[in-house]
Amino acid sequence: MASVDLDAIRHALRLARDKGFREVELEVGETRFSAGLSARPAAPRPSSAAPQDETVTVGAPIVGYLQKVRPSLKPGSKVQEGDVLACVTALGLDTDVPAPCDGEIVSVEAAEGDALEYGQPIAVLRKRRPDA
Amino acid sequence: MFRKVLVANRGEIACRVIRACREMGIRTVAIYSKADRDSLHRLMADEAVCVGEGPNGDSYLNLGNVLMAVQISGAEAVHPGYGYFSERAHFAQALQSIGAKFIGPPPSAIEAMGDKAAAKRAAKAAGCPVVPGSEDPIPDEATALRVAHKIGYPVLLKAVAGGGGRGIRRVEDPSELPGLFRMAAAEAKASFGSGELLVEKCVVAPRHVEIQILADEHGNVVHLGERECSVQNLRHQKILEEAPYAAMTDRLRRRMGEAAVAVAKAVGYQNAGTVEFLVDASGHFYFLEMNTRLQVEHPVTEAVTGIDVVQQMLRIAAGEPLPFRQKDVRIHGHAIEARITAQDPERDFAPSTGRIERWIQPGGLGVRVDTHVYAGFEVAPYYDPMIAKLIVSAEDRPAAVRRLRAALHDFHVDGIATNIPFLRKLVEHPQYEEGAVDTSFVARFLGETEDAR
């Protein structure tokens, strides 16, 4: 008997959330799974008590090669949350590397074509202060 | 021989494979999750690639990341260890597609043994005894009575859809069969969604005896004798394993070995594998299943044969012929393995996690400890609770039991709970000392200690 396994559901939900989809429907044989997603899950808001120059490391989301490095991926660029900075390519598929928050790129830690392990730093961002 | 091998596993077995590679002059690549940053396997390997977060699905079972780790490291071959991808034919195929060799059997052999019913048919076709029973679901009580009469009581009624010891009823004689049949069918329907039942002979006081085989790519298949793994916990997980089987005779070993080799040949097996049997009190043996991978308890075989099973796996995968024949394999002495787990015997064997504050492991002649942990290591909640294997060997079984008792006495772990106190008591039991334990021993032992409180 075919059934939707939990990992597939988890994967689909994560993908839907990342792409900003509102509905997810999975069908395997007779089994169906559907869900509605709220517009944007409450993302952790930077607290006002955060240090002024809080930096965030953007790590590789998967193991693969750094490809399609965007012009914005250079020290000094201002980026917005969700801006795609580059891709990590694995087994012929690209996975976007988005900026995790609004901010400014402080340093770039990997170059086009580099092999990356999971979580390996690609860039360091300085978060834009809420009041800035 | 390979120049670089990636070990697609974690824990003690990853360390074990890395050690074998080092001795053979092969560079190693470890994969690790963020939770295993401090694991010995990561520190021992020449290179290491992080493949994800702590949970297995995000890291060790993340196929894309594991395959990419193979690709970016340039490893020519992958050892899967046990568990994880070791018995997934698709993994072996995927590796092939990226030009890496799977250190294990061909995908077709994994598949042939993966389905229990098909494996049993293959064993039967190879002339290997199987537990007598119905091959197809039994439609009604009358048929069940007929089949049971033919194979002899006691019999088991087994839910086709059951597994892992669930959905099984024992029937002692014909008078109770109809009632139990109806009850078992109703239960199976309620629990598994299918009321279909099989009738199988009940092997009384069974011993779990398995045969290690090695098969090269040139048609040579040998067996390395047996291991006995009857001391299992209530979830059918092995706790103590030994080689040889205390009640083994040369004749029975030869017959079981030949049967195991025949099964392996029938499915075109290559590399290391294990054929599991049930052996009853009168020495009849029945095929149970074949494990198409390296097993946790392989060190007891290594101890009594002097053959490094992991190094042989690497050689076989590299296309080398086996360097010995069946007549060259000799069994010397006796070895016992105890699985050391981070489980609290005082709390129904609940997993124990946290920082190991003190780790004092036994040593000396005939004492081997395979582990990935050390004092200061943090035991994460994501993985199997086994944190070490203690393997002792000596000239005969009584000496091995004495050595095991002494080694357990000298094994001290603080910071987390382990099953060591439980193992100490278990190996003191007179029945264990005699070697007269079947697969229900631990259940009875736990009952006795409960009564003694």
Side-chain angles (χ1 to χ4, degrees):
Chain A
M1 187 186 66
S3 64
V4 186
D5 78 299
L6 278 174
D7 281 339
I9 292 176
R10 220 173 280 134
H11 177 73
L13 288 175
R14 199 179 302 149
L15 206 66
R17 199 190 51 212
D18 292 349
K19 301 283 179 195
F21 295 160
R22 301 293 299 275
E23 281 176 26
V24 177
E25 239 180 75
L26 275 178
E27 216 176 304
V28 177
E30 305 266 288
T31 319
R32 277 184 65 179
F33 169 86
S34 66
L37 278 78
S38 58
R40 185 87 202 152
R45 287 267 137 220
S47 88
S48 54
Q52 294 232 319
D53 276 345
E54 197 186 337
T55 59
V56 182
T57 301
V58 184
I62 57 168
V63 182
Y65 296 100
L66 190 67
Q67 300 286 353
K68 297 180 188 167
V69 170
R70 303 292 160 88
S72 58
L73 186 59
K74 62 169 192 292
S77 303
K78 303 264 196 298
V79 295
Q80 291 194 319
E81 179 181 342
D83 283 357
V84 175
L85 306 175
C87 289
V88 176
T89 304
L91 306 169
L93 296 171
D94 292 342
T95 298
D96 290 342
V97 180
C101 57
D102 294 357
E104 184 189 325
I105 293 176
V106 180
S107 65
V108 177
E109 306 292 330
E112 177 96 15
D114 279 1
L116 303 175
E117 66 176 348
Y118 174 80
Q120 186 170 330
I122 294 170
V124 178
L125 270 181
R126 183 180 296 113
K127 268 190 184 177
R128 196 169 69 204
R129 275 168 282 144
D131 58 337
Chain B
M1 183 44 67
F2 308 114
R3 278 169 311 221
K4 195 189 260 191
V5 164
L6 180 140
V7 185
N9 213 301
R10 63 176 300 280
E12 67 82 21
I13 198 62
C15 297
R16 167 73 187 88
V17 176
I18 290 166
R19 225 170 247 136
C21 289
R22 174 103 58 230
E23 274 186 41
M24 294 170 74
I26 302 169
R27 272 186 79 77
T28 51
V29 184
I31 60 168
Y32 67 99
S33 72
K34 283 195 160 176
D36 268 341
R37 193 171 288 279
D38 297 324
S39 173
L40 268 188
H41 82 280
R42 184 214 168 196
L43 305 174
M44 280 170 66
D46 297 305
E47 297 169 32
V49 180
C50 180
V51 290
E53 299 293 331
N56 283 318
D58 295 335
S59 49
Y60 299 105
L61 284 175
N62 182 327
L63 182 61
N65 281 357
V66 174
L67 290 176
M68 284 310 292
V70 176
Q71 201 165 76
I72 69 175
S73 66
E76 297 153 285
V78 175
H79 196 299
Y82 48 69
Y84 293 121
F85 288 128
S86 61
E87 290 180 282
R88 307 270 185 97
H90 295 313
F91 181 66
Q93 281 155 347
L95 282 178
Q96 208 169 19
S97 73
I98 60 165
K101 177 95 185 180
F102 176 73
I103 301 169
S108 57
I110 300 176
E111 274 167 356
M113 288 297 154
D115 172 342
K116 288 206 179 191
K120 192 172 167 183
R121 279 196 298 275
K124 207 171 166 184
C128 176
V130 298
V131 179
S134 60
E135 280 186 22
D136 300 309
I138 297 290
D140 49 47
E141 295 148 41
T143 315
L145 279 166
R146 208 164 51 239
V147 174
H149 178 72
K150 205 173 112 198
I151 60 181
Y153 289 87
V155 297
L156 299 175
L157 300 175
K158 280 183 150 177
V160 171
R166 299 195 316 139
I168 298 176
R169 283 212 168 244
R170 182 177 162 142
V171 184
E172 299 296 334
D173 60 68
S175 67
E176 58 179 35
L177 192 138
L180 286 172
F181 186 90
R182 282 191 297 272
M183 203 187 294
E187 279 174 0
K189 177 91 183 126
S191 304
F192 312 113
S194 158
E196 290 189 327
L197 298 176
L198 297 173
V199 177
E200 205 174 88
K201 186 173 180 66
C202 176
V203 181
V204 181
R207 309 285 290 245
H208 178 116
V209 180
E210 58 189 32
I211 303 282
Q212 173 74 54
I213 66 118
L214 285 176
D216 66 18
E217 296 181 355
H218 309 278
N220 302 306
V221 187
V222 300
H223 70 84
L224 304 184
E226 77 285 358
R227 293 185 287 260
E228 201 216 336
C229 317
S230 298
V231 182
Q232 304 180 357
N233 69 13
L234 305 183
R235 293 180 204 109
H236 304 283
Q237 290 157 330
K238 298 164 185 171
I239 301 173
L240 294 168
E241 299 107 337
E242 60 186 81
Y245 168 38
M248 188 55 103
T249 62
D250 286 341
R251 183 161 175 274
L252 182 58
R253 177 178 297 131
R254 198 174 60 246
R255 285 174 58 223
M256 289 181 72
E258 283 168 1
V261 167
V263 170
K265 283 186 171 166
V267 296
Y269 203 84
Q270 288 168 7
N271 220 299
T274 296
V275 183
E276 298 193 334
F277 296 96
L278 287 180
V279 179
D280 71 15
S282 42
H284 294 108
F285 63 92
Y286 306 98
F287 172 85
L288 203 55
E289 62 178 326
M290 179 167 189
N291 293 316
T292 56
R293 55 167 157 83
L294 178 67
Q295 286 196 271
V296 175
E297 59 272 27
H298 74 276
V300 293
T301 297
E302 295 181 326
V304 297
T305 61
I307 293 169
D308 187 310
V309 174
V310 178
Q311 290 194 18
Q312 290 305 326
M313 292 181 78
L314 289 155
R315 291 187 189 288
I316 289 167
E320 292 183 17
L322 283 173
F324 45 77
R325 295 289 172 268
Q326 193 60 58
K327 62 176 170 44
D328 306 318
V329 178
R330 299 254 191 282
I331 312 288
H332 293 286
H334 201 96
I336 307 173
E337 172 181 282
R339 299 190 187 194
I340 310 298
T341 62
Q343 284 176 302
D344 190 348
E346 297 294 313
R347 293 178 48 231
D348 205 18
F349 293 91
S352 173
T353 58
R355 191 180 144 91
I356 296 174
E357 299 296 346
R358 198 163 69 131
W359 178 268
I360 299 170
Q361 67 182 47
L365 179 66
V367 177
R368 165 178 171 181
V369 177
D370 281 17
T371 183
H372 59 288
V373 310
Y374 48 90
F377 181 83
E378 191 93 26
V379 177
Y382 309 111
Y383 312 113
D384 187 274
M386 192 174 78
I387 49 171
K389 301 189 309 206
L390 167 64
I391 305 107
V392 297
S393 51
E395 63 278 13
D396 56 21
R397 192 175 187 279
V401 171
R402 287 196 298 273
R403 188 158 283 167
L404 178 61
R405 287 173 178 167
L408 285 168
H409 179 267
D410 288 348
F411 211 145
H412 297 281
V413 181
D414 288 346
I416 58 165
T418 72
N419 67 339
I420 293 170
F422 166 77
L423 289 171
R424 285 190 193 125
K425 277 186 258 167
L426 193 68
V427 301
E428 290 296 334
H429 199 284
Q431 238 179 312
Y432 179 74
E433 183 167 4
E434 282 167 37
V437 292
D438 60 42
T439 50
S440 62
F441 172 62
V442 172
R444 276 182 282 117
F445 173 76
L446 287 171
E448 285 172 24
T449 44
E450 200 60 38
D451 292 344
R453 279 187 188 185

